[in-house]
Amino acid sequence: MKLMIIGATSAIAHEAARQFAADGAEFFLVGRDPDKLAAVQRDLDVRGAGRVVLHTLDLNDLAQHEALIAAAYDAMGALDAVLIAHGTLPDQARAQADVEATLEAFTTNALTYISLLTLLAGRFEQQRRGCIAVIASVAGDRGRGSNYVYGAAKGAVSLFASGLRARLSKAGVAVVTIKPGFVDTPMTAHLKKNPLFASPATVGRRIYVAMLKGEDVVYAPWFWRYIMWIIRLIPERVFKRLSL
Amino acid sequence: MTANGHRRAYQSWGRYPRVEQQNVRPVYWRNNDLDLARIDGPVLPYGLGRSYGDSCLNGGGTLLDTSPLNRFIAFDEEAGLLRCEAGVTLADILKLIVPRGWFLPTTPGTKFVTIGGAIANDVHGKNHHRAGTFGRHVTRFELLRSDGERLICSPDENADLFRATIGGLGLTGLILWAEIRVQRVAGPFIAKEQIRFGSIDEFFEISAESDERFEHTMAWVDCLATGKHLGRGLFMRGNYTWPKRIPRKAAEPRSLFTMPVQLPAFALNLATVKAFNSLYYRSQLTRRTFQTVPYDPFFYPLDAIQEWHRLYGAPGFLQYQFVVPYAQDRTAIKDILRQISQSGVVSFLAVLKVFGDVPSPGMLSFPRPGVTLALDFPFRGQRTLALLDRLDEIVRAHGGVLYPAKDARMSAENFQAFYPQWREFARHIDPKFSSSFWRRVTQTTHE
Ligand SMILES: Cc1cc2nc3c(=O)[nH]c(=O)nc-3n(C[C@H](O)[C@H](O)[C@H](O)COP(=O)(O)OP(=O)(O)OC[C@H]3O[C@@H](n4cnc5c(N)ncnc54)[C@H](O)[C@@H]3O)c2cc1C
Ligand SMILES: NC(=O)c1ccc[n+]([C@@H]2O[C@H](COP(=O)([O-])OP(=O)(O)OC[C@H]3O[C@@H](n4cnc5c(N)ncnc54)[C@H](OP(=O)(O)O)[C@@H]3O)[C@@H](O)[C@H]2O)c1
């Protein structure tokens, strides 16, 4: 199994990678911090990974995406699966006051995904097999007053992936959308923890299974499917008055 | 901690004492600048909170949660050396090394402890008479001090800080990663013998005879038995093996059962414990049984019930573990067992073991040659505390000491008498680091 992980230093992505490593997978890991990438590499190596190739890139540099994908194919020969996992949780208050902050958050959480998916789709469509997984979020299921910049970006990723799934299913390629709920990772370090928080290991294991099976849309943990189902049912005229 | 490793509360395992509000700072990466100096108030590393009392608590200060530091760094299978970050648990390590024919050099009675925690309490296991403490198998580690300095510590490099940090209760700095020596074993099963003994004298006979032939030895004692039954119990001993036939149900252990909520405090009372102990003792019909078992139920019987400590209800419970020098007359152990059985305060779990004479590497390490007894007491206020104070005096009079990892209440005076080297140790403490335990046992000084 040859796997590319974009945003490989994410706590959730690393947990998924550990599962693949135990199967002896080979990795092409992309992140922006070489020290963190090296720490992930050594861990996967001990856990049984085959070759692990590292690539340092700030993904907001969209102009580099084409070269990135080419480098991955050069190094690996072929790719069986890709997991796109990077992301930031923007400060909503700051984004409201600052267009640039909003657009940057949108770039990191949506445009980079759209760019990478577009580049990868062609390759996977030709190879007629494999799996492309993206980490979206339950936050993308409905715009909330307190978090709509992040939510809108994640929603864009979900919609884009949904369309891409329809296109690539004809080529036998799976597109997997992962929608985690609250996960206890560096991204949520500043939030107060409640019982709905899951561990990155729980979500990572779920991603592994979803990718092997080529599932479509996966809520992780599973109960979020029902929570979000109810939340989507609330009429907008009521929803807009809730402070969520 | 829940089964999937997600933490909900930063308490100690005994859930007593409760301390005032603590801030929590997770430590995510071993290379990041942590800038500990900028945190307000004292800091203390926190592993999985499997210590019972307040040695892993820092009331009014900040806990450095090391659980995200869970990455392996290297496994040299030629030399049997494993390097990993400080928050890696013994469970993680076993999952990695057991299928490759290795085992931990020694292990406490739960695998849900971190490497950092195992070093900071210099923990011991059922093979202490052979392997000594966990710290004996630590070849080096990296220590982060609050001034930002990072020190590699080993028996040769920064040797004083190495000795101070092993058994150093988390006070000398933050261990970022460590390298340990693992052990090749015959197999991940234990050829186990269980022997019923009717008295404490019988225990010592079996123990002396067993230590030469068995890697692992320990005993369960019925603390409520009195008179001629005083100190009766079951002796367990075993060696690693690879059985000719794999026992059934040997597959990957799962936790059977999670204690969902706290039971009311009366669930464990004198009558229930007495009945349990008596039944457990009699459950073994023949004097001696042989069985080959997977390593998990042998080393970690309590891990099968996640959150078992909730059995004790809201008031929490106290552990009490001491070691007294091995004396021919065995009066200390007998005195203490008598005190307990007469007190009417119940101890559910009582584990007895003879420590060997392999020296402990840490300045403040607890294990030393002698007999150790570990007890659990549900917290029943003053009555429990008074009994433990009486036990302290017996332990002290016999030249014994208490285990800080399990203590929530010993007096400053007794701590300082048990560990007179504490002043020398204190010179190695990082000035930014402190714990509720340390403040309790050193706030007043006693000569
Ligand atoms: C069921 C059960 C059975 C047990 N059996 C045994 C036994 O047989 N033998 C035995 O010796 N003990 C035993 N213990 C006690 C347990 O092994 C120790 O308390 C152990 O140290 C707990 O590790 P932890 O990772 O939970 O650390 P914590 O309890 O969270 O912390 C323990 C200490 O380690 C320090 N620490 C943690 N991480 C670091 C770090 N990275 N750098 C520096 N300091 C650090 C903390 O500050 C604290 O002082 C048992 C406990 C339980 C619950
Ligand atoms: N945690 C949650 O509650 C939650 C819930 C739903 C969805 N998600 C999603 O899950 C995914 C993984 O997040 P996580 O929770 O695992 O948090 P995380 O550990 O903080 O991971 C986020 C990763 O994204 C990387 N990253 C951010 N911007 C980047 C950029 N411009 N270029 C390269 N890398 C960049 C970060 O790199 P650095 O470490 O170098 O900063 C970090 O490794 C994200 O897409 C997130 O939105 C998380």
Side-chain angles (χ1 to χ4, degrees):
Chain A
M1 166 82 114
K2 291 181 178 177
L3 182 66
M4 178 180 191
I5 303 185
I6 301 172
T9 51
S10 122
I12 296 175
H14 186 187
E15 291 291 353
R18 284 175 171 172
Q19 301 293 317
F20 287 105
D23 299 341
E26 292 177 42
F27 294 90
F28 188 89
L29 305 181
V30 187
R32 61 180 166 186
D33 182 326
D35 288 342
K36 292 180 183 175
L37 272 179
V40 172
Q41 174 187 34
R42 301 198 69 156
D43 179 65
L44 296 179
D45 193 49
V46 172
R47 291 174 191 267
R51 209 159 52 104
V52 183
V53 181
L54 305 184
H55 191 105
T56 310
L57 178 65
D58 184 328
L59 292 159
N60 285 0
D61 191 352
L62 298 167
Q64 293 298 317
H65 283 194
E66 201 159 351
L68 169 69
I69 303 297
Y73 273 89
D74 267 357
M76 309 300 281
L79 287 177
D80 301 298
V82 179
L83 170 63
I84 313 180
H86 63 282
T88 52
L89 189 57
D91 177 345
Q92 174 71 24
R94 206 184 130 226
Q96 278 168 212
D98 178 354
V99 184
E100 212 143 306
T102 303
L103 294 184
E104 192 190 312
F106 215 80
T107 303
T108 307
N109 293 304
L111 295 187
T112 56
Y113 276 66
I114 290 170
S115 157
L116 293 162
L117 285 173
T118 304
L119 292 164
L120 288 163
R123 303 240 187 192
F124 273 74
E125 197 165 38
Q126 265 173 18
Q127 74 187 38
R128 301 191 68 79
R129 59 180 188 85
C131 161
I132 303 174
V134 294
I135 305 189
S137 171
V138 295
D141 279 12
R142 192 147 195 190
R144 290 184 301 144
S146 63
N147 195 21
Y148 62 83
V149 174
Y150 178 74
K154 288 297 190 183
V157 171
S158 290
L159 268 187
F160 193 88
S162 159
L164 190 64
R165 177 177 311 114
R167 170 182 154 202
L168 292 187
S169 72
K170 284 145 197 112
V173 174
V175 174
V176 183
T177 305
I178 312 289
K179 296 186 178 178
F182 295 124
V183 193
D184 189 353
T185 70
M187 181 181 276
T188 54
H190 58 291
L191 301 183
K192 204 172 141 41
K193 301 297 177 288
N194 61 51
L196 289 179
F197 270 82
S199 75
T202 304
V203 177
R205 281 193 294 264
R206 185 67 188 92
I207 292 175
Y208 167 75
V209 171
M211 287 178 72
L212 287 187
K213 290 195 192 155
E215 291 178 64
D216 296 331
V217 178
V218 171
Y219 286 82
W222 58 271
F223 54 78
W224 283 99
R225 180 178 294 277
Y226 301 95
I227 296 179
M228 295 320 294
W229 181 68
I230 291 166
I231 290 197
R232 281 197 313 269
L233 281 183
I234 303 173
E236 193 70 7
R237 86 192 121 73
V238 178
F239 194 75
K240 71 180 180 195
R241 289 199 212 109
L242 302 177
S243 42
L244 282 172
Chain B
M1 297 280 298
T2 58
N4 64 21
H6 178 242
R7 176 171 301 110
R8 287 185 183 156
Y10 291 82
Q11 294 180 336
S12 73
W13 198 243
R15 296 146 57 88
Y16 175 89
R18 305 286 170 100
V19 300
E20 42 173 322
Q21 187 63 38
Q22 311 172 93
N23 294 315
V24 176
R25 169 78 79 91
V27 183
Y28 291 112
W29 297 93
R30 64 178 181 269
N31 302 315
N32 268 16
D33 273 339
L34 289 172
D35 217 349
L36 300 178
R38 276 191 35 208
I39 298 174
D40 271 346
V43 301
L44 182 75
Y46 184 92
L48 285 182
R50 253 45 179 199
S51 301
Y52 286 83
D54 50 2
S55 67
C56 60
L57 301 179
N58 190 14
T62 297
L63 293 176
L64 305 172
D65 179 353
T66 64
S67 57
L69 284 181
N70 61 8
R71 303 174 195 91
F72 289 112
I73 301 173
F75 184 23
D76 176 348
E77 289 206 56
E78 298 287 302
L81 288 173
L82 178 74
R83 189 142 44 101
C84 61
E85 292 180 348
V88 168
T89 67
L90 300 187
D92 296 333
I93 293 179
L94 289 168
K95 222 193 261 171
L96 177 81
I97 68 174
V98 167
R100 305 184 193 188
W102 301 87
F103 207 82
L104 292 164
T106 185
T107 173
T110 170
K111 60 183 174 174
F112 299 122
V113 306
T114 64
I115 287 293
I119 295 173
N121 276 324
D122 197 13
V123 300
H124 58 271
K126 299 181 186 8
N127 63 348
H128 181 272
H129 58 286
R130 292 207 173 164
T133 61
F134 194 86
R136 301 258 326 167
H137 309 276
V138 176
T139 48
R140 58 194 174 126
F141 51 77
E142 182 175 340
L143 192 69
L144 175 71
R145 304 272 289 184
S146 61
D147 58 8
E149 202 177 6
R150 289 161 181 260
L151 299 161
I152 303 291
C153 303
S154 76
D156 312 313
E157 214 177 327
N158 297 307
D160 282 351
L161 211 45
F162 183 74
R163 286 201 320 121
T165 301
I166 295 177
L169 302 169
L171 299 169
T172 61
L174 176 69
I175 303 169
L176 293 168
W177 58 263
E179 182 181 74
I180 63 167
R181 196 172 284 117
V182 293
Q183 188 193 357
R184 270 249 175 250
V185 292
F189 293 85
I190 303 291
K192 169 181 156 185
E193 278 182 37
Q194 196 160 295
I195 306 165
R196 205 169 63 192
F197 56 87
S199 71
I200 200 72
D201 291 318
E202 222 181 293
F203 161 81
F204 282 105
E205 277 161 37
I206 302 173
S207 184
E209 179 246 335
S210 304
D211 282 358
E212 282 157 39
R213 292 189 295 123
F214 292 87
E215 170 85 12
H216 303 285
T217 65
M218 56 81 87
W220 167 84
V221 191
D222 178 358
C223 279
L224 296 174
T226 48
K228 70 176 177 17
H229 294 306
L230 186 75
R232 73 177 179 184
L234 299 174
F235 195 92
M236 275 152 244
R237 58 193 195 184
N239 287 315
Y240 294 106
T241 186
W242 186 259
K244 288 188 199 72
R245 274 191 11 244
I246 305 288
R248 281 179 34 183
K249 292 198 272 178
E252 176 77 358
R254 307 194 126 250
S255 74
L256 301 172
F257 184 56
T258 299
M259 206 48 77
V261 286
Q262 233 151 248
L263 292 180
F266 55 77
L268 271 187
N269 59 30
L270 190 60
T272 51
V273 174
K274 207 161 198 160
F276 172 83
N277 280 0
S278 208
L279 265 175
Y280 190 46
Y281 180 75
R282 298 227 176 80
S283 67
Q284 181 158 335
L285 297 174
T286 50
R287 195 177 112 79
R288 185 184 292 225
T289 60
F290 301 87
Q291 206 186 353
T292 296
V293 295
Y295 71 84
D296 238 282
F298 182 79
F299 290 112
Y300 313 116
L302 288 170
D303 287 350
I305 311 172
Q306 297 266 345
E307 306 283 346
W308 59 267
H309 54 162
R310 293 186 174 182
L311 261 174
Y312 285 99
F317 67 109
L318 294 159
Q319 263 259 339
Y320 189 83
Q321 183 171 358
F322 64 87
V323 53
V324 286
Y326 187 82
Q328 245 11 74
D329 58 2
R330 298 150 192 168
T331 43
I333 280 285
K334 286 183 188 168
D335 262 13
I336 286 180
L337 285 174
R338 215 169 286 129
Q339 284 279 343
I340 296 168
S341 61
Q342 284 164 9
S343 71
V345 176
V346 288
S347 177
F348 191 49
L349 294 167
V351 173
L352 192 60
K353 163 147 186 83
V354 175
F355 278 151
D357 50 17
V358 186
S360 297
M363 259 177 218
L364 279 192
S365 293
F366 160 73
R368 60 203 66 198
V371 196
T372 184
L373 179 65
L375 304 154
D376 269 11
F377 295 99
F379 184 70
R380 298 281 188 272
Q382 206 42 47
R383 195 153 68 116
T384 320
L385 294 174
L387 169 69
L388 298 187
D389 285 343
R390 283 204 301 284
L391 302 188
D392 285 358
E393 295 318 313
I394 304 176
V395 169
R396 191 170 162 183
H398 285 87
V401 305
L402 257 57
Y403 190 7
K406 302 199 171 172
D407 179 70
R409 33 64 53 197
M410 78 169 109
S411 68
E413 185 187 344
N414 276 337
F415 172 76
Q416 292 169 27
F418 292 146
Y419 294 92
Q421 69 275 36
W422 75 275
R423 283 175 194 280
E424 186 206 343
F425 166 77
R427 291 210 308 267
H428 300 282
I429 293 181
D430 185 307
K432 185 80 190 158
F433 284 57
S434 181
S435 67
S436 293
F437 173 85
W438 193 250
R439 290 187 286 277
R440 173 163 64 79
V441 299
T442 59
Q443 69 201 355
T444 56
T445 52
H446 304 262
E447 290 305 331

